[in-house]
Amino acid sequence: MNAHTADPETCSVAEVQAALLGASTTPRAEAYARMMHQVVPRAWGLAHAGRDWVGALLTQLRPWGLTQVADLGCGMPRRTPGTASHPVDTHEYALAVRMRRCAYLDIDPAVVEHRRAGLASYQGGAALADLTDPAQVRAGLAACGIDPHQPTALILGWVLALLDDGQALGVLASLPTLVAPDSYVAVSHPSGYGLWSAQMTRTTGARVQPRSTQDLLDLMVRAGLAPHQGPTPVAAWPTPACPTPGTDVLCALARIRPPTVAVGGSDR
């Protein structure tokens, strides 16, 4: 192939996300992040807002007594461990609200290695898992010490955007089989069609699929989850609000229902 017509070398999704968060990454990923910012000036702010939302979410869940959290498709740490005095990553937010255990799962070995390095003495762990394979997710949660019999906060930050509708539905529908009833599923997801999704797709080589408020709500309902809050723009969470024009990040929270108990020999 002619060098002048060849597509530029892509970066992993994790590398680009890390660059958008200002974390240490490769020069190529940092260049791509600058390009993303030129296409969508809100890109950096939305990347940070999505991570900040995790802290707000776990603080919100604190009165409900959940003691464990799993960050599924966690991506790179937000910064080098020990360089900030305030919580910036999921296990630190969890510690601040007295959750006892945090699990990080990701398909990228480099992500898992970085997450393990940042956990220090905090209870939990990081494990490799393809979220579209429930057996891998179950094994990863177990390896990190997550008790499947205790309610858990499950976080999917931007993950569903990398999956088509069938895969996303499969992931959401599998979650009730992996954790206890009355667990919660929290999702953040890019919305808005146009330059942002096209640029991210070219940058990573992965098809990035934004979804609307109704798209996300439909996925949760079809997966058998009970919508609790949202979807709503990240800047407004938890207050209901309409997405802003163009690119935004939507957040939603759903509950895993207890199983239906048949009465009198009938499931009616």
Side-chain angles (χ1 to χ4, degrees):
M1 182 180 290
N2 188 305
H4 295 291
T5 61
D7 290 334
E9 188 176 355
T10 59
C11 287
S12 72
V13 174
E15 286 178 314
V16 176
Q17 288 177 330
L20 287 171
L21 291 166
S24 177
T25 187
T26 64
R28 186 173 70 253
E30 291 170 358
Y32 274 130
R34 289 192 293 269
M35 291 170 58
M36 292 282 297
H37 181 65
Q38 290 173 354
V39 172
V40 181
R42 300 182 68 205
W44 287 353
L46 289 173
H48 281 282
R51 290 293 179 90
D52 290 340
W53 168 73
V54 174
L57 172 76
L58 295 187
T59 299
Q60 175 186 352
L61 294 180
R62 181 175 182 174
W64 302 355
L66 280 72
T67 60
Q68 48 189 18
V69 56
D71 194 332
L72 307 180
C74 56
M76 286 289 190
R78 191 164 174 176
R79 48 84 173 118
T80 304
T83 60
S85 59
H86 57 281
V88 294
D89 281 315
T90 302
H91 70 282
E92 295 170 321
Y93 290 130
L95 181 62
V97 298
R98 299 181 182 177
M99 283 188 169
R100 293 196 299 267
R101 193 172 299 275
C102 175
Y104 288 114
L105 269 61
D106 203 277
I107 198 172
D108 188 331
V111 168
V112 173
E113 181 180 349
H114 278 81
R115 287 296 186 181
R116 285 173 176 163
L119 277 169
S121 60
Y122 186 77
Q123 289 186 343
L128 279 171
D130 180 343
L131 300 187
T132 64
D133 184 338
Q136 289 190 33
V137 178
R138 181 179 289 107
L141 293 174
C144 296
I146 297 297
D147 183 349
H149 305 294
Q150 295 295 321
T152 306
L154 302 173
I155 298 173
L156 295 100
W158 293 49
V159 175
L160 298 184
L162 302 176
L163 306 175
D164 62 31
D165 286 348
Q167 291 172 319
L169 180 60
V171 168
L172 292 175
S174 72
L175 298 180
T177 71
L178 303 174
V179 292
D182 290 326
S183 294
Y184 282 82
V185 178
V187 174
S188 66
H189 199 297
S191 68
Y193 293 82
L195 293 175
W196 181 87
S197 57
Q199 181 65 47
M200 192 69 171
T201 296
R202 285 194 297 268
T203 297
T204 63
R207 183 172 181 269
V208 178
Q209 181 170 335
R211 289 185 173 91
S212 68
T213 298
Q214 193 59 51
D215 291 335
L216 277 181
L217 190 59
D218 287 347
L219 280 174
M220 290 189 295
V221 171
R222 289 171 61 197
L225 302 175
H228 183 80
Q229 280 184 229
T232 196
V234 64
W237 182 268
T239 305
C242 294
T244 58
T247 301
D248 207 334
V249 173
L250 300 175
C251 300
L253 181 65
R255 183 173 65 93
I256 293 177
R257 298 183 178 98
T260 302
V261 178
V263 178
S266 170
D267 59 359
R268 290 181 299 174

